[in-house]
Amino acid sequence: MFTIDGLTWDIPCDIDRVMEVRPSDISGLLMDKTWFNDVLGTYLRYSVTLAANPDDMTAYYQIMETLNAPVDGHAFVLPYNESTIQITARVENVRDVYVMLPGGATYWKGTKFDVIANGPTKEQALGEVIARGMSPLPDVSGPREGDIYIYTNGAWTPYTAPSYADADDMQF
Amino acid sequence: MHLIIDLQEYDRLKGLSFAPGADVTGDTLPINEFAVDVITDAEIAAGQYAELRDELDNLWAKYWIITARRVSESAVRVVARSELALLDGVTLPATMYANTTAAAVLEDVMVRKASAGIVAPIDYALDSTLENIAISGFCPKQSARERLQWVCMAIGAYVKTAFNTMTEILPIENDATPVPLNKTFWRPSVTEGELITEVRVTAYSFTAGTPSTTDQYVTDEGGTHYIVQGQTISLANPNATAAEPDNPVEIEGVYLINGDNASAILSRMAACYFRNRTVEADVIDNAEFVPGQRVAVAVSADAMEGGNIESASFAFGKQARARLTLVAAAPVEAGKLTVEYLWDGNKVHEDKYLLPAGYAYTIENPYLDITLAAHRYIFRPDDATITGTMPALDATVQQSVGVALDLHEGILHVISVDSITEETDEITIGVIA
């Protein structure tokens, strides 16, 4: 299932996802022998393979007309981890195969297209990028000196060491 | 990058070209420009200022739009030039200066044509060390740009027209600022130019009077004639051998050179022309290295070349990369500075810098993210910066660090923190579940 320009198509499809951390052309080797990677941002690219429903070819034709519209981009809602993501993306390489069978039966199959995000879904601010190399202290939800934290269930939480008591009720 | 024109912001730009230059020899005053396709449906008018700014809103250039032409249904090609281009449109009268301060001369020079016969001042800043230098001598009828060039030659200045809100007139630098190794791309090239064997400068004096037929003379706007006498002084290149073919540089016909400033001008010209190397270096340049500035770049692991930035041709990604052309370049005595970071007396990290001898450095100490014996430590330096002066030879300085955070087997011990940034995901990478 995916959504183009507000229309959701609940049809069988395979969706390949590529997450590209894209460097710019100005990246290169530096005199300190390290690589300068000028990351523009993270761009998403999906390749969608869908199956036309022979009982609803009108919907299929509508999808194809939407996909081949000569516009800069479409508003897509596509799967992203456990949820979905909304991106403005261009459509490239729309292709399908027209099958003709003896006896006059015809249908479309092998429909594929690429969805390439027009902008990054993740991007660092220029100030952060320039300051790279200064290791930032992590966000551990406001620790104080002497605190101990443990990372559980995706978050840092205060950690209390288990205590024990010996036979004389001495606490450890 | 984005443009601001008449308070309107345009952030959809394509094909930006920006390669500002500066001339420290006084030979020319380059007119800088940027050109860019602005993706917009709106019309953009020429004859107004356009500001080129980066994501952090730092100003890269404030230039006058020369042309704004629609090149497609969605794009307007904007070409904007530095204010020096406006000086070309103003003709200044022939003038004799007698101990006039540079500040006073420039008030008349820094103007643009506002309408027929009317000129308007251009905003500019003259460095305070140059303000009171006396200008004496004659200037013929010439454009304001050419007059500015003569003044720069006379007072030892160059014009900076990038990365500023107004044109700046600054003294020519002698000391080179090093470009860090981690901002210099592999690897700069050095070209040896032809050897200049001698620099000759002609100084002039003027006497009001009626010239004879054999006298050289000039005439000011009021019709007063001045008889001109010239005297040439010279300086031979100490590196030129007797076998070298004679190849002098002669500076003559600049009537603002006089007996008082000739030897200083000769020294400056010799410093430029006798250092006959050119260096091409690609650097990460987020508006830090500016045409006209004198910088030193590493050309190998242990050698640096210093020169004045004649031009900086920019390519833009997230950050900016500039191809710097350094002129009047020469080898710079340099040494390696090693900064050792010590924890309980043990070295946990070191950084190396290649710096010119005598350079007064200030190094910002980084937080260190280091894994030792299954502990992931964030070390914080005991001092924010290290300062000192680079000796002629290699040197080592030490900086103690303490543990700020200690991550071990999924448990994070907070040892010493002042503040916590909003960065996320950083420490989670090393979590041992």
Side-chain angles (χ1 to χ4, degrees):
Chain A
M1 187 170 77
F2 60 92
T3 302
I4 311 176
D5 297 336
L7 287 175
T8 298
W9 305 98
D10 191 8
I11 54 176
C13 55
D14 290 341
I15 300 176
D16 289 346
R17 179 178 63 166
V18 176
M19 299 171 168
E20 187 185 359
V21 180
R22 186 180 297 171
S24 78
D25 292 340
I26 70 168
S27 303
L29 184 66
L30 297 170
M31 285 297 284
D32 67 353
K33 297 174 184 167
T34 61
W35 186 263
F36 170 63
N37 198 27
D38 185 58
V39 175
L40 294 170
T42 305
Y43 290 75
L44 292 178
R45 188 168 72 234
Y46 291 87
S47 292
V48 180
T49 305
L50 58 83
N53 180 357
D55 296 332
D56 189 7
M57 290 308 289
T58 304
Y60 177 76
Y61 299 145
Q62 192 177 351
I63 292 176
M64 298 308 285
E65 290 308 303
T66 302
L67 292 176
N68 73 29
V71 294
D72 295 342
H74 299 274
F76 278 91
V77 180
L78 288 158
Y80 191 83
N81 297 345
E82 75 278 14
S83 182
T84 57
I85 191 168
Q86 181 172 326
I87 55 172
T88 301
R90 61 191 182 276
V91 172
E92 291 185 2
N93 302 318
V94 183
R95 56 209 181 273
D96 52 9
V97 179
Y98 186 58
V99 179
M100 292 182 289
L101 296 175
T106 62
Y107 61 93
W108 289 96
K109 72 166 191 178
T111 308
K112 295 179 181 176
F113 60 92
D114 298 327
V115 177
I116 303 165
N118 282 351
T121 50
K122 286 186 180 176
E123 186 181 12
Q124 278 191 297
L126 181 60
E128 293 174 311
V129 173
I130 292 172
R132 188 187 297 153
M134 290 285 286
S135 302
L137 288 172
D139 180 2
V140 287
S141 305
R144 297 289 180 267
E145 288 184 20
D147 286 352
I148 300 175
Y149 284 74
I150 186 165
Y151 191 75
T152 51
N153 298 324
W156 290 98
T157 54
Y159 173 73
T160 306
S163 61
Y164 303 94
D166 64 10
D168 299 327
D169 206 26
M170 178 69 80
Q171 296 289 318
F172 294 93
Chain B
M1 304 297 288
H2 60 276
L3 275 189
I4 296 176
I5 302 170
D6 193 21
L7 302 177
Q8 178 75 39
E9 182 174 336
Y10 300 89
D11 59 3
R12 300 191 69 199
L13 307 180
K14 199 177 159 191
L16 171 62
S17 66
F18 181 50
D23 177 55
V24 294
T25 64
D27 195 29
T28 59
L29 286 182
I31 293 173
N32 294 321
E33 72 172 35
F34 64 76
V36 64
D37 286 347
V38 182
I39 310 300
T40 179
D41 297 332
E43 295 306 319
I44 296 173
Q48 57 183 330
Y49 285 104
E51 292 182 7
L52 180 65
R53 290 181 177 271
D54 65 17
E55 216 178 273
L56 299 175
D57 217 29
N58 296 320
L59 181 68
W60 284 58
K62 181 183 175 184
Y63 291 170
W64 187 259
I65 301 176
I66 301 299
T67 60
R69 184 170 54 89
R70 184 160 287 282
V71 290
S72 72
E73 281 186 9
S74 59
V76 176
R77 183 77 173 162
V78 171
V79 178
R81 290 188 179 154
S82 59
E83 286 166 325
L84 294 188
L86 303 178
L87 298 183
D88 270 341
V90 176
T91 302
L92 298 176
T95 306
M96 179 64 75
Y97 297 106
N99 281 322
T100 311
T101 64
V105 172
L106 288 176
E107 279 181 25
D108 293 333
V109 172
M110 298 301 288
V111 292
R112 68 181 174 90
K113 197 171 180 180
S115 60
I118 299 174
V119 294
I122 285 175
D123 286 343
Y124 69 97
L126 173 63
D127 190 89
S128 60
T129 60
L130 304 172
E131 283 175 357
N132 294 319
I133 296 178
I135 303 279
S136 294
F138 178 78
C139 286
K141 185 178 179 179
Q142 59 192 168
S143 73
R145 179 174 162 219
E146 193 177 0
R147 182 76 52 96
L148 175 61
Q149 178 189 331
W150 279 36
V151 172
C152 285
M153 166 72 81
I155 65 176
Y158 73 96
V159 181
K160 178 184 169 191
T161 61
F163 311 106
N164 45 15
T165 54
M166 64 180 75
T167 301
E168 291 176 273
I169 297 148
L170 301 170
I172 295 168
E173 297 177 0
N174 289 317
D175 298 328
T177 302
V179 180
L181 293 175
N182 63 1
K183 290 193 173 185
T184 309
F185 285 94
W186 194 279
R187 130 181 193 178
S189 64
V190 181
T191 309
E192 193 91 26
E194 62 178 10
L195 188 77
I196 302 299
T197 54
E198 189 177 52
V199 171
R200 298 171 191 156
V201 168
T202 302
Y204 297 92
S205 61
F206 301 88
T207 309
T210 305
S212 68
T213 52
T214 57
D215 284 335
Q216 183 187 352
Y217 69 97
V218 294
T219 306
D220 72 10
E221 193 71 3
T224 305
H225 299 304
Y226 297 90
I227 300 163
V228 182
Q229 286 188 310
Q231 185 180 8
T232 299
I233 58 174
S234 64
L235 192 62
N237 188 340
N239 296 323
T241 63
E244 294 287 345
D246 196 28
N247 185 25
V249 167
E250 297 185 26
I251 296 153
E252 58 182 351
V254 181
Y255 292 142
L256 294 184
I257 300 176
N258 52 51
D260 293 331
N261 62 19
S263 72
I265 292 171
L266 182 66
S267 297
R268 280 198 297 273
M269 293 302 110
C272 287
Y273 287 109
F274 290 170
R275 296 188 288 202
N276 60 334
R277 294 183 178 199
T278 301
V279 177
E280 297 270 338
D282 279 14
V283 302
I284 301 168
D285 189 352
N286 296 298
E288 301 142 279
F289 308 111
V290 182
Q293 188 183 1
R294 191 162 181 86
V295 297
V297 296
V299 293
S300 70
D302 52 10
M304 300 188 91
E305 292 271 339
N308 293 90
I309 302 174
E310 184 183 61
S311 68
S313 179
F314 284 91
F316 297 94
K318 183 72 179 178
Q319 301 188 54
R321 174 174 177 154
R323 170 154 296 179
L324 304 182
T325 301
L326 310 183
V327 295
V332 171
E333 188 182 13
K336 276 185 196 149
L337 178 71
T338 303
V339 183
E340 294 183 342
Y341 293 96
L342 305 179
W343 176 43
D344 279 348
N346 298 311
K347 185 171 75 174
V348 291
H349 181 72
E350 68 177 23
D351 285 328
K352 288 185 183 294
Y353 302 86
L354 188 62
L355 299 175
Y359 179 69
Y361 60 82
T362 298
I363 294 171
E364 196 171 345
N365 291 316
Y367 281 84
L368 303 171
D369 186 346
I370 295 171
T371 299
L372 294 168
H375 286 255
R376 183 176 176 191
Y377 296 109
I378 303 289
F379 292 106
R380 64 184 243 164
D382 290 349
D383 304 301
T385 57
I386 293 177
T387 58
T389 301
M390 186 64 200
L393 299 172
D394 293 351
T396 299
V397 293
Q398 294 181 327
Q399 170 66 55
S400 57
V401 298
V403 176
L405 299 171
D406 173 7
L407 178 70
H408 179 57
E409 293 187 344
I411 296 175
L412 178 69
H413 292 254
V414 180
I415 312 298
S416 170
V417 293
D418 288 333
S419 62
I420 297 297
T421 71
E422 292 300 318
E423 294 290 329
T424 59
D425 300 328
E426 189 62 20
I427 205 82
T428 61
I429 299 165
V431 169
I432 301 167

